Every structure is written in structure tokens, then in C-alpha cells.
């Protein structure tokens, strides 16, 4: 019995073990299948994501590699459309530039009025804060620089190249050209010199009075004041400064400036680079000669002072920054220095500085000069006596202004 019982227990244990082993194997197999399915599904999803990413990358590479060809084809088939887009973009940029310039001009005018009120200075009847809309646009403002002692010079200009009365008003309304003699005040405000100018202005109505004390050594300050005042009064494309002993053909000047109308920042004149004079007592002596390097150096390029023109953006720049712009002894040098470091296009136009001996044959050849004077006199020598003769020989056709279209 002992052995039988022992054998039975061994057999029963062996039987149980086999059953559990079989169940365990089946369970492991099922678990393995389940685990394998999960393991294979994840990489498959990842593969799909990778495949999608690779597809996007391939598309991008395809666009990069093939994108130029369709553009070239489009450019070949439709060049006019592309050029039209470039033109429209250029026009949009110019419109934006002009809008910014108009806002700067209005700001400058507002500041001028406020400063006049704060300083207690009289405000010109024409000096008002410009309205954003409805303000007349002009081609150019021509400021003729003059002095208290230059009454005969002014009369010689009025008798030749500067229209008078109703003709000048029509010039403003129809052609957009403003012309004024530019002068400040005497050291004794309201004195005999100022009263003489006021009487002359009542007769002709062709003065622009500045809040500026006249003086030969104050020409740089007068130039700043002129551009600031003129830009506040009139919204023009160009602002011109000319001396009262220079002959000017106004229609030719307008046509010359109109060619540069689309350019935002232009400085037009006869460009020069004269020597910096360190010696005291000589004409055009520069007290700050040491700023230009060693003695014998030359100035940077700038327009000669007899006549020059600047665009609206530059006039606005001078108006806004006039209190921090440095003044050198010579006003033409000062003006040139204010544009150093700015994105300004310097235009050297020699028709703005013809000699009085050359202007006649140039006019006969069809190349009418904008301005004529004598270099030896920095203007027309004896201009009061000779202005009529220069006008007769070098002047443009009498109907040039009437028929001009700018």
C-alpha cells in the first residue's frame, strides 16, 4: 500500500503540472500575440507619419527645384503683367513717401505757429496750420534772396523775368509757381528800413517776410528760416533759393525741376568743392576751417549759392530740425552740410549757372539756360544796369510760361 500511494501522488502531481504548463503556454502565446500586434501597430503608425513628412519634404524640394521654371515661363508669357506689378508697387511706395512727407510738413507748420505764440512773435497772415485736405499743391516756390539796400535790384528783376500783378497770380493758380522776394527784419524792428519794405510790399505784394534779423553773417540762419517758413505756407514739390542779381528763365526752371518730380530727396544745383579759407580778413573766410582737416583742404560737394533747389522732403527736414542744424560762415556750405549723412541725390545741372557771355549762343542753339550770372561777381556784374540786356539776349520765349505744361 505504501508504494501504491506514493506512485499515485507522483502521477497526480505530474498530471497537474502538465495541465498548468499547457494553460501557461496557451496564455503566454496569447499574450505574445497581443504584444506583437501592439508592437507592430506603433511602428506602422510612425511609418505613416514619417512617410507623410517625407512626402511634404519631397513636395517642398519639388517646388524648390521646379519652382523657378514656371516663374520663368510666366515671365516669358506675361512680362507685361509682372512689369505692371513692379510699377504699381513703385507707385505705392511713392504715395507712402508723399503721405509721410505731408504729415511732416503739417507737423513743422504746427510747430512754427506754436513757437511764434510762445515767443510772442507776430504770426504772418498766411502762416496757418495747414489742413490735411483741400490744400493747393504747387510745383515750386521761388524765394529771391534780397536785402534792405537792394530796391533797384528788385525793380530790375520785376521789369524782366518776374511776372507782376495778375500775371503772377495766374502763374500761381494755373502753373503752381510761387515767387517772392525773401527778407527778414532790421535790428530795430519797426524802424525806417522795415517801413520802407512794408510800403514796397503794399505796392507790389511780392514779399515773404521772415522772423529773422538781416545781416551778411546771418545768411545761413536766413536760409533755414526761408525753407521752414516757405514749407509751412505752401505745399510744393520744390523750394528754390536764388539771389536778386541772377537772371532766371522761370519756364525752363519749372521744366527742369519737373523731370525730378518723382524723386523724394533731391538737391539740385551747380555742384562745386571750393577751398576752405583759413586766412582771416579775406572774403568767404571760414572760422571753423579746422573742422575740415588740414589747411588747404576743400569743402565737400555742395551747390553754389546763386541758385539751387531742394525737394519737399529736404525742406521739411530743415524745418523740423532747424534748431540743431549747424551754421557755417557761408550759407551754401551750411546747406550742403545739412544733407551730409542723409540719403540725398545730388544733381549737378550746369544749366543753372551759365555765364552771361555763354547764355546767348546757348539760347540760339535751343539750349536755354535756367540761370545766368558772372562768376567773377558771384552774380550779374552791375546787375541793375545789365539785367535788361541779359534778359533780352538770354531770356526764353515770351510765351514760354503761358504754354508750359509741368
Amino acid at each position: 500500500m505504501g508504494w501504491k500511494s506514493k506512485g499515485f501522488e507522483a502521477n497526480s502531481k505530474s498530471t497537474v503540472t502538465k495541465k498548468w504548463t499547457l494553460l501557461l503556454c496557451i496564455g503566454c502565446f496569447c499574450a505574445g500575440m497581443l504584444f506583437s500586434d501592439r508592437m507592430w501597430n506603433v511602428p506602422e503608425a510612425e511609418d505613416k507619419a514619417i512617410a507623410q513628412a517625407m512626402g511634404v519634404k519631397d513636395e517642398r524640394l519639388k517646388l524648390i527645384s521646379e519652382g523657378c521654371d514656371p516663374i520663368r515661363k510666366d515671365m516669358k508669357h506675361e512680362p507685361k503683367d509682372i512689369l505692371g506689378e513692379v510699377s504699381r508697387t513703385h507707385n505705392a511706395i511713392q504715395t507712402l513717401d508723399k503721405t509721410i512727407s505731408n504729415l511732416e510738413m503739417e507737423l513743422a507748420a504746427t510747430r512754427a505757429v506754436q513757437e511764434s505764440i510762445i515767443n510772442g512773435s507776430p504770426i504772418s497772415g498766411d502762416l496757418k496750420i495747414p489742413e490735411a485736405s483741400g490744400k493747393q499743391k504747387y510745383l515750386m516756390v521761388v524765394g529771391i534772396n534780397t536785402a534792405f539796400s537792394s530796391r533797384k535790384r528788385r525793380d530790375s528783376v520785376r521789369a524782366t523775368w518776374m511776372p507782376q500783378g495778375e500775371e503772377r497770380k495766374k502763374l500761381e493758380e494755373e502753373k503752381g509757381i510761387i515767387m517772392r522776394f525773401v527778407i527778414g527784419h532790421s535790428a530795430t524792428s519797426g524802424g525806417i528800413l522795415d517801413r520802407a519794405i512794408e510800403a514796397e510790399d503794399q505796392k507790389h505784394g511780392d514779399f515773404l517776410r521772415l522772423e529773422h534779423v538781416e545781416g551778411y553773417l546771418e545768411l545761413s540762419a536766413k536760409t533755414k528760416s526761408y525753407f521752414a517758413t516757405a514749407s509751412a505756407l505752401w505745399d510744393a514739390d520744390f523750394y528754390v533759393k536764388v539771389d536778386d542779381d541772377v537772371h532766371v528763365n522761370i519756364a525752363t526752371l519749372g521744366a527742369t525741376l519737373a523731370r525730378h518730380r518723382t524723386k523724394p530727396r533731391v538737391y539740385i544745383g551747380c555742384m562745386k568743392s571750393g577751398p576752405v579759407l583759413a586766412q582771416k580778413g579775406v572774403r568767404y573766410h571760414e572760422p571753423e576751417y579746422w573742422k575740415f582737416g588740414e589747411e588747404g583742404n576743400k569743402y565737400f560737394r555742395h551747390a553754389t549759392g546763386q541758385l539751387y533747389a531742394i525737394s519737399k522732403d529736404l525742406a521739411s527736414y530743415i524745418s523740423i530740425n532747424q534748431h540743431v542744424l549747424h551754421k557755417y560762415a557761408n550759407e551754401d556750405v551750411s546747406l550742403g552740410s545739412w544733407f551730409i549723412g542723409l540719403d540725398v541725390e545730388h544733381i549737378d545741372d550746369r544749366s543753372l549757372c551759365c555765364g552771361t557771355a555763354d547764355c546767348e549762343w546757348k539760347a540760339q542753339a535751343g539750349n536755354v539756360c535756367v540761370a545766368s550770372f558772372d562768376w567773377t561777381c558771384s552774380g550779374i556784374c552791375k546787375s541793375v544796369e545789365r539785367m535788361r540786356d541779359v534778359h533780352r539776349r538770354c531770356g526764353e520765349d515770351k510765351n514760354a510760361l503761358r504754354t508750359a505744361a509741368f
Side-chain angles (χ1 to χ4, degrees), residues 28 42 46 79 88 102 116 172 186 189 219-220 236 297 311 318 329 359 361 390:
C28 289
V42 172
E46 291 179 354
R88 284 191 289 272
N102 289 337
S116 296
E172 296 176 5
S186 64
S189 183
L219 288 178
S220 294
N297 278 359
S311 58
I318 293 173
C359 60
W361 67 262
V390 173

Side-chain angles (χ1 to χ4, degrees), residues 361-403:
W361 67 262
K362 288 184 178 181
Q364 292 174 353
N367 299 319
V368 178
C369 292
V370 172
S372 304
F373 58 89
D374 301 307
W375 285 103
T376 55
C377 298
S378 297
I380 298 176
C381 298
K382 299 181 179 180
S383 65
V384 173
E385 293 82 8
R386 295 183 58 228
M387 184 66 76
R388 285 181 181 274
D389 178 61
V390 173
H391 182 65
R392 179 183 57 81
R393 293 187 296 104
C394 307
E396 60 197 358
D397 187 86
K398 293 181 179 180
N399 297 320
L401 265 177
R402 188 179 303 116
T403 59

Side-chain angles (χ1 to χ4, degrees), residues 181-381:
F181 287 105
V182 179
I183 195 168
H185 297 274
S186 64
T188 56
S189 183
I192 187 172
L193 295 177
D194 291 315
R195 291 199 300 270
I197 292 295
E198 290 168 5
E200 189 178 346
D201 192 22
Q202 288 180 356
K203 180 180 179 180
H204 298 282
D206 55 4
F207 277 93
L208 172 61
R209 302 298 302 276
L210 306 177
E211 295 302 325
H212 165 78
V213 177
E214 286 290 322
Y216 179 77
L217 298 178
E218 298 298 327
L219 288 178
S220 294
K222 184 176 182 179
T223 299
K224 284 200 295 185
S225 180
Y226 161 62
F227 285 121
T229 305
S231 61
L233 289 174
W234 299 289
D235 182 9
D237 291 321
F238 297 96
Y239 298 86
V240 181
K241 177 262 176 181
V242 58
D243 290 340
D244 60 5
D245 56 352
V246 173
H247 180 270
V248 181
N249 286 313
I250 295 298
T252 307
L253 173 61
T256 299
L257 297 183
R259 291 198 294 267
H260 306 288
R261 212 169 193 169
T262 59
K263 301 174 182 178
R265 292 170 298 277
V266 290
Y267 173 33
I268 307 171
C270 291
M271 299 296 165
K272 66 174 184 178
S273 178
V276 181
L277 302 179
Q279 183 180 353
K280 292 183 179 181
V282 299
R283 193 180 185 186
Y284 306 128
H285 164 63
E286 178 57 72
E288 297 180 273
Y289 63 90
W290 58 274
K291 289 185 177 180
F292 298 91
E294 302 298 328
E295 290 190 25
N297 278 359
K298 291 186 176 181
Y299 289 113
F300 40 80
R301 288 283 173 185
H302 62 280
T304 184
Q306 284 82 2
L307 185 148
Y308 49 73
I310 61 174
S311 58
K312 180 172 66 175
D313 281 9
L314 297 183
S316 178
Y317 172 80
I318 293 173
S319 177
I320 294 171
N321 300 284
Q322 58 181 308
H323 301 298
V324 294
L325 295 177
H326 186 69
K327 297 173 294 184
Y328 290 101
N330 303 303
E331 59 98 9
D332 52 353
V333 172
S334 295
L335 182 73
S337 72
W338 299 338
F339 302 147
I340 295 292
L342 301 184
D343 186 13
V344 175
E345 181 178 354
H346 290 57
I347 297 176
D348 183 18
D349 191 333
R350 310 315 288 185
S351 71
L352 274 66
C353 54
C354 294
T356 57
D358 302 332
C359 60
E360 183 175 8
W361 67 262
K362 288 184 178 181
Q364 292 174 353
N367 299 319
V368 178
C369 292
V370 172
S372 304
F373 58 89
D374 301 307
W375 285 103
T376 55
C377 298
S378 297
I380 298 176
C381 298

